[in-house]
């Protein structure tokens, strides 16, 4: 079985490849990348693969049995890029697509959701066997705010008392590997999230506890948080997106207690405290 993996130079893709080492012959893994030079350190076959160049996609997928389609990091027209890949996979004879979607994509109010919903629809209509991994929030998404929160003694947001069931990238990568190498997953949609949830006040409290500093959460309106992010130098479009994600958190979009992730990886998900500790050490 030859496995093609998109996004292999990104955080999640690199972890998946590391976890696959020793479990299957390395020659059976193909890195599908826009810039093959950036994948040289992976030690496996890189193939040119640009979502926006459909003429390259079929060639890149030649001989691939299983495709792990890691959602594109560039949010612009993301669903169209994914659909280009799905169409190419059908033409190339790919036998199974595993796709990383968004937690509760079909009901989520996050701006990210629509591209995932459109991709899931295209997958289901493609005729190719599929598995959908609806990944929840990465705990690492919050770690970039830790130094500033410690310095200012304030963690800003607009999530209210909404709870987040996040997990570490390692956990989501482990789930992808478990599905790729397992059986009985075709046709399944998994809602993947951390075992324990927390609020932004809880996140601030854990940062304070580990840093031995005073840190409090300050809840703002969505517009106030957008403006605050812009004042910190975050580009307007990204600031609006981040605030939208926080607003979605207040509505429960990032909460899940089904424990499907820990069941897939056969262990508990990485605790928030552990990820914060690693961040502070680095």
């Amino acid at each position: 079985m030859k496995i093609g993996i998109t996004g292999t130079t990104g955080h999640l893709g690199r972890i998946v490849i590391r976890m696959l080492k020793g479990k299957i012959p390395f020659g059976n893994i193909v890195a599908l990348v826009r810039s093959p030079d950036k994948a040289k350190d992976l030690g496996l076959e890189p193939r040119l693969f640009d979502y926006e160049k459909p003429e390259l996609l079929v060639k890149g997928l030649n001989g691939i049995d299983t495709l792990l389609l890691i959602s594109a990091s560039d949010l612009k027209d993301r669903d169209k890029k994914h659909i280009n890949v799905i169409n190419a996979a059908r033409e190339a004879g790919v036998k199974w697509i595993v796709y990383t979607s968004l937690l509760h994509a079909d009901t989520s109010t996050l701006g990210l959701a629509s591209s995932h919903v459109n991709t899931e629809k295209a997958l289901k209509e493609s005729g190719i066997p599929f598995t959908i991994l609806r990944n929840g929030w990465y705990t690492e998404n919050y770690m970039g705010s830790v130094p500033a929160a410690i310095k200012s003694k304030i963690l800003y947001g607009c999530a209210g008392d909404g709870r987040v069931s996040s997990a570490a990238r390692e956990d989501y990568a482990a789930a992808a590997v478990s599905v790729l190498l397992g059986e009985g997953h075709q046709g399944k949609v998994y809602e993947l999230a951390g075992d324990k949830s927390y609020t932004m006040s809880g996140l601030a409290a854990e940062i304070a506890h580990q840093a031995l500093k005073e840190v409090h959460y300050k809840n703002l309106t969505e517009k106030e948080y957008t403006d605050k992010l812009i004042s910190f130098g975050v580009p307007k479009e990204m600031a609006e997106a981040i605030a939208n994600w926080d607003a979605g958190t207040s509505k429960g979009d990032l909460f899940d207690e089904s424990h499907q992730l820990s069941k897939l990886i056969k262990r508990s998900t990485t605790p928030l405290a552990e990820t914060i500790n690693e961040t502070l050490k680095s």
Side-chain angles (χ1 to χ4, degrees), residues 93-265:
V94 171
K95 299 178 178 66
W96 180 27
I97 297 178
V98 179
Y99 172 62
T100 62
S101 186
L102 174 71
L103 184 68
H104 303 304
D106 53 343
T107 59
S108 177
T109 66
L110 269 64
L112 293 167
S114 61
S115 65
H116 289 294
V117 169
N118 292 340
T119 303
E120 289 187 12
K121 181 174 182 290
L123 261 180
K124 292 172 182 177
E125 293 175 350
S126 70
I128 304 171
F130 64 87
T131 303
I132 296 172
L133 306 179
R134 287 181 170 171
N135 288 354
W137 226 230
Y138 298 151
T139 308
E140 288 88 347
N141 289 348
Y142 295 118
M143 295 304 102
S145 301
V146 169
I150 293 172
K151 184 176 181 180
S152 67
K153 300 182 181 179
I154 300 173
L155 178 68
Y156 293 98
C158 61
D161 294 322
R163 302 194 70 83
V164 180
S165 307
S166 73
R169 282 195 185 93
E170 290 269 341
D171 300 328
Y172 294 111
V177 171
S178 176
V179 167
L180 288 170
L181 302 184
E183 296 180 353
H185 300 296
Q186 291 189 1
K188 300 286 184 65
V189 177
Y190 292 107
E191 303 287 356
L192 304 181
D195 290 332
K196 295 185 178 179
S197 64
Y198 53 88
T199 63
M200 291 300 98
S201 294
L203 172 59
E206 185 60 35
I207 294 170
H209 172 71
Q210 294 206 35
L212 302 177
K213 302 282 186 178
E214 182 181 342
V215 180
H216 299 285
Y217 175 61
K218 185 170 183 178
N219 196 59
L220 307 172
T221 66
E222 186 171 349
K223 184 181 185 308
E224 287 172 340
Y225 186 36
T226 300
D227 291 342
K228 178 65 70 174
L229 290 168
I230 292 172
S231 75
F232 290 155
V234 178
K236 183 175 183 291
E237 188 174 345
M238 180 54 68
E240 290 173 343
I242 294 171
N244 168 264
W245 303 338
D246 244 36
T249 301
S250 72
K251 301 170 187 174
D253 288 337
L254 299 181
F255 175 72
D256 182 88
E257 53 185 352
S258 65
H259 301 284
Q260 291 183 37
L261 177 53
S262 54
K263 290 172 186 174
L264 265 183
I265 63 179

Side-chain angles (χ1 to χ4, degrees), residues 1-4 64-68 94-98 180:
M1 179 179 70
K2 211 170 190 68
I3 300 175
I64 299 295
D65 299 296
T66 298
L67 173 65
L68 173 60
V94 171
K95 299 178 178 66
W96 180 27
I97 297 178
V98 179
L180 288 170

